[in-house]
């Protein structure tokens, strides 16, 4: 399985460079502005779920804003056809807010001065047990880049001790090698989410001032490493609000297309993290990204990728999340705490960002039912693939 590591980030680097998507210059702006109503209608008439960069360009163009209702209806139908009327629920557990990076948009930025917190393995299990007692069987472990304490050994032991309680354990942690991901897969971690944050090389340099994450090309190779290790789920995303969202959507789609083509065993999902207020972060420095932009981005991607998962977190406000679940979302977080120790309340640690949907998991589940969908707490896909997990 590790042999697939021959597909390195260089492939992705070349793809983006050849299409001019590693810089969001005037080139793409002009092409998107030149899209007309006829182009959008032709794109909408193409078979649902078919991806071509040109088709996606038409669907995310300014001209397609007049077709949002039609796009939303088609995205809804396609999602129900492929996923049924189900929404998976998950919860994050934060392990550490130490970080060696200096990302300008994040409260955990190493330059920010506050008392940092790390959970030892017993405390992490206590947090995860609270999440399990609320009904969740899908767990996301999150941490800043704290390699000294949140080591691969730590994560492997934690996963081994938690795997009986959860049907799926995934991580959103610092970038690792294929061999390290493979070790975690063996220990029971089956998914990794790692955002490029921005595909625009210049903007990437501007926002990532220091630390291992400041290497754009290395970051771009992460999804290949994750998939080459055999991970079942590879989560991709761009942090919305850093640069022009339309160009980011095109680059994100090319990234997904690249992974889907090369790694048959991995399922790709998109997240839509929008910048949120965070400790010592100035909101005024970010690009605008409206709710309508989010709807257009989600529905356009769904129309081009019928089978990808779509994840929406509690960064978004409740009313918007309620409306978006019928447009392509397949997975929602609920009742989230974004600080280490946030569920047990045994620490008063600083969170990564502010959440905007403060409802309890039970309230979110009730809302999903009210909207005619079924909340799913357990990852049944995995159970069907591996009978030992039932
Ligand atoms: S975004 Fe991640 S890597 Fe960057 S400062 Fe925050 S926790 Fe650290």
């Amino acid at each position: 399985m590790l042999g697939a590591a021959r597909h390195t980030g260089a492939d992705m680097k070349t793809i983006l460079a050849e299409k001019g998507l590693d810089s969001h210059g005037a080139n793409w702006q002009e092409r998107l502005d030149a899209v007309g109503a006829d182009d959008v209608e032709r794109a909408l008439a193409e078979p649902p779920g078919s991806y071509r960069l040109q088709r996606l360009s038409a669907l995310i163009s300014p001209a397609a804003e007049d077709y949002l209702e039609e796009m939303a209806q088609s995205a809804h139908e396609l999602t129900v056809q492929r996923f049924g009327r189900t929404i998976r629920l998950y919860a994050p557990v934060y392990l550490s807010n130490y970080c060696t990076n200096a990302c300008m948009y994040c409260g955990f930025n190493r330059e920010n001065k506050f008392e940092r917190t790390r959970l030892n393995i017993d405390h992490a299990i206590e947090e995860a047990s609270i999440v399990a007692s609320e009904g969740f069987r899908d767990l996301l472990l999150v941490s800043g880049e704290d390699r000294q304490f949140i080591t691969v050994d730590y994560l492997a032991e934690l996963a081994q001790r938690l795997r009986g309680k959860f049907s799926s354990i995934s991580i959103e942690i610092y970038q690792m090698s294929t061999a390290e991901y493979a070790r975690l897969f063996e220990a029971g971690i089956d998914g990794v989410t790692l955002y490029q944050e921005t595909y625009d090389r210049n903007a990437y340099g501007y926002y990532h001032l220091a630390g291992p994450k400041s290497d754009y090309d290395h970051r771009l190779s992460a999804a290949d490493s994750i998939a080459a290790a055999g991970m079942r789920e590879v989560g991709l995303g761009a942090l919305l609000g850093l640069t022009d969202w339309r160009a980011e959507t095109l680059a994100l789609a090319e990234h997904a297309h690249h992974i889907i083509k090369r790694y048959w065993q991995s399922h790709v999902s998109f997240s839509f993290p929008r910048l949120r207020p965070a400790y010592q972060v100035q909101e005024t420095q970010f690009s605008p990204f409206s709710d309508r932009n989010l709807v257009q981005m989600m529905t356009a991607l769904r129309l081009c990728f019928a089978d990808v998962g779509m994840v929406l977190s509690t960064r978004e406000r409740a009313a918007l999340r309620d409306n978006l679940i019928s447009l392509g979302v397949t997975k929602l977080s609920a009742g989230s705490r974004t600080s280490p120790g946030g569920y047990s309340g045994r620490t008063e640690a600083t969170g990564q960002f502010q959440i905007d949907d403060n409802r309890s998991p039970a309230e979110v589940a009730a809302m999903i039912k009210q909207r005619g969908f079924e909340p799913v707490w357990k990852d049944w896909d995995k159970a069907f693939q591996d009978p030992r997990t039932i």
Side-chain angles (χ1 to χ4, degrees):
M1 214 178 261
L2 294 184
R6 67 186 179 277
H7 300 297
T8 66
D11 288 344
M12 197 55 225
K13 188 175 150 187
T14 310
I15 291 166
L16 291 185
E18 280 176 358
K19 296 182 176 168
L21 285 169
D22 57 354
S23 68
H24 300 170
N27 177 22
W28 271 106
Q29 208 55 56
E30 278 166 23
R31 285 159 77 172
L32 288 166
D33 286 344
V35 171
D38 286 0
D39 303 309
V40 179
E41 283 168 20
R42 259 197 307 278
L44 282 169
E46 285 187 39
S50 61
Y51 174 68
R52 283 188 311 112
L53 187 59
Q54 283 315 109
R55 178 173 188 238
L56 181 63
S57 309
L59 295 174
I60 58 150
S61 67
E65 285 179 16
D66 294 339
Y67 294 83
L68 276 193
E69 265 184 41
E70 201 175 330
M71 287 168 64
Q73 184 58 35
S74 303
H76 168 70
E77 285 164 13
L78 189 54
T79 310
V80 169
Q81 206 182 79
R82 298 300 175 115
F83 292 88
R85 299 185 74 87
T86 60
I87 303 284
R88 270 169 65 189
L89 289 168
Y90 76 99
V93 164
Y94 276 68
L95 303 173
S96 166
N97 59 14
Y98 281 75
C99 191
T100 50
N101 293 306
C103 310
M104 272 172 59
Y105 46 79
C106 177
F108 292 173
N109 182 330
R110 74 181 194 188
E111 305 300 337
N112 290 348
K113 303 287 176 256
F114 62 91
E115 203 177 324
R116 308 259 171 176
T117 307
R118 293 163 160 151
L119 304 188
N120 63 30
I121 290 184
D122 286 338
H123 194 171
I125 287 171
E126 188 189 336
E127 288 282 298
S129 301
I130 295 172
V131 161
S133 72
E134 288 172 334
F136 292 100
R137 294 295 173 267
D138 195 330
L139 176 70
L140 175 66
L141 300 172
V142 187
S143 169
E145 183 146 358
D146 183 12
R147 284 172 193 268
Q148 260 189 339
F149 188 81
I150 309 295
T151 60
V152 174
D153 285 344
Y154 171 111
L155 292 165
E157 183 183 337
L158 185 57
Q160 270 155 359
R161 289 176 61 183
L162 287 176
R163 64 196 293 178
K165 275 189 167 60
F166 294 93
S167 60
S168 174
I169 304 174
S170 48
I171 55 172
E172 198 174 315
I173 287 179
Y174 55 84
Q175 183 173 352
M176 296 175 196
S177 66
T178 300
E180 288 170 325
Y181 284 129
R183 170 141 185 255
L184 293 182
F185 182 67
E186 284 302 308
I189 287 172
D190 57 12
V192 181
T193 293
L194 197 131
Y195 307 138
Q196 182 64 22
E197 315 290 13
T198 172
Y199 289 89
D200 181 334
R201 191 180 284 278
N202 290 330
Y204 192 93
Y206 174 79
Y207 285 111
H208 300 99
L209 300 172
K213 189 173 163 184
S214 58
D215 183 340
Y216 173 97
D217 289 329
H218 183 55
R219 185 84 176 173
L220 199 56
S221 69
D224 283 85
S225 305
I226 296 162
M231 284 288 172
R232 211 166 53 87
E233 193 135 354
V234 181
L236 303 176
L239 192 47
L240 301 165
L242 291 187
T243 68
D244 174 59
W245 69 271
R246 292 190 160 97
E248 293 288 17
T249 306
L250 297 175
L252 178 65
E254 283 293 299
H255 203 174
H257 185 58
H258 162 78
I259 297 295
I260 291 166
K261 267 195 328 195
R262 281 165 175 76
Y263 305 98
W264 60 268
Q265 85 286 7
S266 295
H267 179 242
V268 168
S269 63
F270 292 129
S271 295
F272 300 87
R274 182 157 36 172
L275 277 164
R276 292 283 304 144
Y279 182 67
Q280 290 185 356
V281 174
Q282 305 281 339
E283 271 180 87
T284 45
Q285 62 204 353
F286 301 125
S287 304
F289 182 71
S290 68
D291 291 353
R292 271 179 77 80
N293 296 154
L294 178 60
V295 169
Q296 189 177 0
M297 179 181 182
M298 288 179 69
T299 53
L301 284 171
R302 170 57 74 222
L303 292 179
C304 290
F305 295 93
D307 296 315
V308 297
M310 290 207 176
V311 184
L312 201 62
S313 79
T314 51
R315 287 172 188 258
E316 299 300 334
R317 59 180 208 288
L320 180 64
R321 294 209 319 154
D322 297 0
N323 289 329
L324 291 176
I325 62 167
S326 59
L327 301 187
V329 172
T330 57
K331 200 168 162 180
L332 278 182
S333 57
S336 305
R337 304 282 182 274
T338 65
S339 58
Y343 293 98
S344 61
R346 284 214 281 119
T347 69
E348 291 193 358
T350 299
Q352 189 177 26
F353 53 84
Q354 289 173 21
I355 61 169
D356 211 351
D357 181 350
N358 289 295
R359 290 173 297 183
S360 69
E363 286 170 328
V364 172
M367 173 278 291
I368 292 171
K369 277 192 184 153
Q370 225 174 41
R371 301 221 154 214
F373 286 77
E374 190 57 36
V376 176
W377 300 86
K378 181 167 178 163
D379 180 0
W380 286 104
D381 288 351
K382 184 178 176 188
F384 287 129
Q385 285 166 11
D386 180 0
R388 288 169 303 173
T389 61
I390 295 179

